[in-house]
């Protein structure tokens, strides 16, 4: 019962990740994503079949108690072959020429195909007898020559897949941090999975010679297989999951800035009424990109009310050692808060232009930043919107503006602009 529960949990996890990757494949089709989806869906079916309950169900439906062994072992081998091929595809062209990578992929794919074909032939030839024990096929049937050849091919091919994936994962130095993260975990999980071969091979050899003292060691090897699969799962999803969590966090952090420059300025900048409620579980990346675009549209609309004086006030009032990029974010936050305040005053009075400026307009620190850095900049600005120094600078700028309006009432019409 416990073994069935563990295997079914693994099956559910694999199928869940396969569905998640399938959604990503639908949005952005690629060979690597297709391989991931195939590996996870196949892995889920393998674990469901390999559970004692699933194993016995297949045996009952086929009339052959040991029948489930073939799809389980072939599916297991194909999953690790898939990981090996993925590792080869992720090898940077600066390290290995692309034509050489393609040749390796074709060669290994053919080798795995031959191994699966030979395994199938040997399994079908084996006169498998007796009641099936799902966890003990390796040692119960090792005395049959065809079954022994079947097991030898499977263990030898699995060893090649794990060792070569480990070597590729350790040697590759990809530029993409997510791929580098995946490869590190692929490499580590392959070492753990090799424990299955290390436990199974001596048990199979001993059983073939008529000695069954190592049968329990062979059964224990399944634990290494499960741990290795967990590592592979994290390798394929860990970086993506971490990125997804960061995206959800940044959506939450950007909410006050969105409220300031979109909701409180012009809600027509919002993609849809649903923009007010950020996505929580699905379409998170799309929601984040949409939010950034809406914020930038709102900032662009506030340029006529921007006042460099609010940014200078941050510098003048600052008495602490603050990192340059944080100080720049504070300046932007102060200018935005001041611009929104001017916008509200102008709207309330029926005017369409700012009433007075203490500095030059159309100014925002960091406006010339590269697009790839825009998200981090806006998050920093959002973090500092309520900072005491920003609040103090906005109030200081408002007082100066009031003083200018009192001294020169004619500027209040905005006609001199």
């Amino acid at each position: 019962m416990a073994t069935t529960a563990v295997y079914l949990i693994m099956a559910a996890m694999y199928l869940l990740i396969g569905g998640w990757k399938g959604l990503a494949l639908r949005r952005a089709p690629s060979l690597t994503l297709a391989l991931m989806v195939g590996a996870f869906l196949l892995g889920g079916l393998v674990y469901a079949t390999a559970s004692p309950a699933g194993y016995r169900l297949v045996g009952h439906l086929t009339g052959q108690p040991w029948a489930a062994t073939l799809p389980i072992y072939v599916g297991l081998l194909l999953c690790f072959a898939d990981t090996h091929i993925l590792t080869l595809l992720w090898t940077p062209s600066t390290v290995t020429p692309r034509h050489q990578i393609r040749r390796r992929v074709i060669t290994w794919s053919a080798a795995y195909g031959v191994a699966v074909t030979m395994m199938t032939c040997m399994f079908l030839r084996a006169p498998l007898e007796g009641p099936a024990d799902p966890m003990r096929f390796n040692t119960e049937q090792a005395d049959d020559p065809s079954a022994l050849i079947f097991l030898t091919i499977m263990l030898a091919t699995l060893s090649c897949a794990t060792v070569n994936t480990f070597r590729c994962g350790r040697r590759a130095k990809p530029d993409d941090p997510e791929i580098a993260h995946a490869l590190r975990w692929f490499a580590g999980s392959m070492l753990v999975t090799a424990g299955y071969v290390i436990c199974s091979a001596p048990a199979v050899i001993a059983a073939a010679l008529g000695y069954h003292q190592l049968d329990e060691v062979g059964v224990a090897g399944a634990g290494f297989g499960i741990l290795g699969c967990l590592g592979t799962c994290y390798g394929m999803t860990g970086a993506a999951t971490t990125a997804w969590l960061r995206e959800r966090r940044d959506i939450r952090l950007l909410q006050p800035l969105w409220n300031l420059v979109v909701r409180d300025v012009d809600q027509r900048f919002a993609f849809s009424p649903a923009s007010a409620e950020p996505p929580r579980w699905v379409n998170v990346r799309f929601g984040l990109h949409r939010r950034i675009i809406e914020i930038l549209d709102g900032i662009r609309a506030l340029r006529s009310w921007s006042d460099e004086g609010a940014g200078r006030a941050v510098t003048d009032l600052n008495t602490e050692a603050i990192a340059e990029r944080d100080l720049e974010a504070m300046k932007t936050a102060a200018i935005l808060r001041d611009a929104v305040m001017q916008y509200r005053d102008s709207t309330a009075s029926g005017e369409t232009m700012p009433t007075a400026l203490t500095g030059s307009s159309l100014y925002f620190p960091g406006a010339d930043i590269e697009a790839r850095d825009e998200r981090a900049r806006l998050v920093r600005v959002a973090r500092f919107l309520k900072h005491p120094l920003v609040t103090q600078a906005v109030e200081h700028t408002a007082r100066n503006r009031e003083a200018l309006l009192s001294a020169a009432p004619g500027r209040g019409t905005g006609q001199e602009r």
Side-chain angles (χ1 to χ4, degrees), residues 306-314 335 338 357-363 397:
S306 65
D307 187 348
E308 186 181 359
R312 285 201 303 269
V314 171
I335 294 172
D338 180 69
L357 295 172
T358 59
S360 61
S361 63
L362 310 180
Y363 173 83
T397 304

Side-chain angles (χ1 to χ4, degrees), residues 112-319:
Y112 289 127
V114 170
V116 167
T117 302
M118 294 176 62
M119 285 173 60
T120 303
C121 293
M122 291 299 103
F123 185 86
L124 296 177
R125 285 186 57 186
L128 304 177
E129 300 176 351
D133 184 338
M135 304 299 294
R136 296 179 181 273
F137 175 88
N138 293 3
T139 52
E140 291 291 328
Q141 300 297 328
D143 57 344
D144 178 77
S146 296
L148 182 59
I149 294 174
F150 167 81
L151 291 170
T152 301
I153 295 172
M154 193 278 292
L155 292 175
T157 309
L158 183 61
S159 297
C160 289
T162 53
V163 170
N164 281 280
T165 303
F166 170 75
R167 292 177 60 193
C168 291
R170 294 290 294 176
R171 290 179 178 179
K173 304 295 181 183
D175 297 328
D176 190 322
E178 291 191 11
I179 293 179
H181 176 92
L183 288 176
R184 285 195 300 270
W185 276 89
F186 283 179
S189 65
M190 292 305 109
L191 284 182
V192 176
T193 304
Y196 172 80
V197 178
I198 294 172
C199 291
S200 297
V204 169
I205 294 172
L209 296 175
Y211 301 99
H212 290 272
Q213 289 84 351
L214 298 180
D215 286 6
E216 294 301 326
V217 176
V219 173
F224 288 98
I226 291 175
L227 292 175
C229 287
L230 288 173
T232 303
C233 285
Y234 182 76
M236 289 191 184
T237 62
T241 302
T242 301
W244 180 77
L245 291 173
R246 285 199 300 265
E247 288 163 357
R248 289 193 66 214
R249 177 204 64 191
D250 287 354
I251 288 176
R252 176 177 55 81
L253 293 175
L254 287 171
Q255 186 68 38
L257 183 57
W258 185 90
N259 292 341
L260 179 71
V261 303
V262 177
R263 186 193 65 183
D264 297 344
V265 174
D266 192 338
Q267 294 196 30
R268 291 177 301 174
F269 296 138
F271 181 78
S272 71
S275 293
E277 292 294 331
R280 299 185 183 278
W281 303 105
V282 298
N283 295 327
V284 172
R285 179 163 298 180
F286 172 78
L288 176 61
H289 291 170
R290 183 186 66 191
R291 179 129 302 190
I292 290 173
I293 292 171
E294 292 170 354
I295 289 173
L296 293 176
D297 286 343
I299 290 176
R300 192 175 297 110
L302 290 169
R303 292 179 67 191
S304 296
W305 283 268
S306 65
D307 187 348
E308 186 181 359
R312 285 201 303 269
V314 171
T315 303
D316 295 340
L317 295 172
N318 178 39
T319 59

Side-chain angles (χ1 to χ4, degrees), residues 334-391:
I335 294 172
L336 285 175
R337 285 183 55 181
D338 180 69
V340 170
M341 188 166 58
Q342 287 199 77
Y343 172 83
R344 289 173 179 170
D345 292 342
S346 298
T347 302
S349 61
E351 299 175 350
T352 59
M353 295 297 291
T355 55
L357 295 172
T358 59
S360 61
S361 63
L362 310 180
Y363 173 83
F364 283 106
D368 57 346
I369 198 170
E370 294 186 20
R372 64 183 179 184
D373 299 324
E374 192 68 76
R375 170 181 163 187
R377 181 178 79 99
L378 292 178
V379 168
R380 281 197 299 273
V381 172
R383 287 180 183 273
F384 289 117
L385 278 178
K386 299 298 183 181
H387 193 277
L389 178 58
V390 171
T391 300

Side-chain angles (χ1 to χ4, degrees), residues 38-116:
F40 279 115
L41 295 182
L42 179 59
L45 294 177
V46 166
Y47 268 110
T49 307
S51 67
Y55 197 102
R56 294 190 177 98
L57 177 62
V58 173
H60 174 74
L61 294 176
T62 60
Q64 169 51 263
W66 297 102
T69 300
L70 179 61
I72 290 171
Y73 280 17
V74 168
L76 177 67
L77 190 59
L78 291 178
C79 285
F80 281 93
D82 190 296
T83 304
H84 184 197
I85 299 302
L86 271 175
T87 307
L88 291 174
L89 291 174
W90 278 338
T91 302
S93 57
T94 54
V95 177
T96 306
R98 299 310 300 180
H99 71 274
Q100 188 173 341
I101 293 176
R102 285 194 296 269
R103 187 164 61 247
R104 289 180 181 177
V105 169
I106 293 172
T107 301
W108 277 106
S109 298
Y112 289 127
V114 170
V116 167

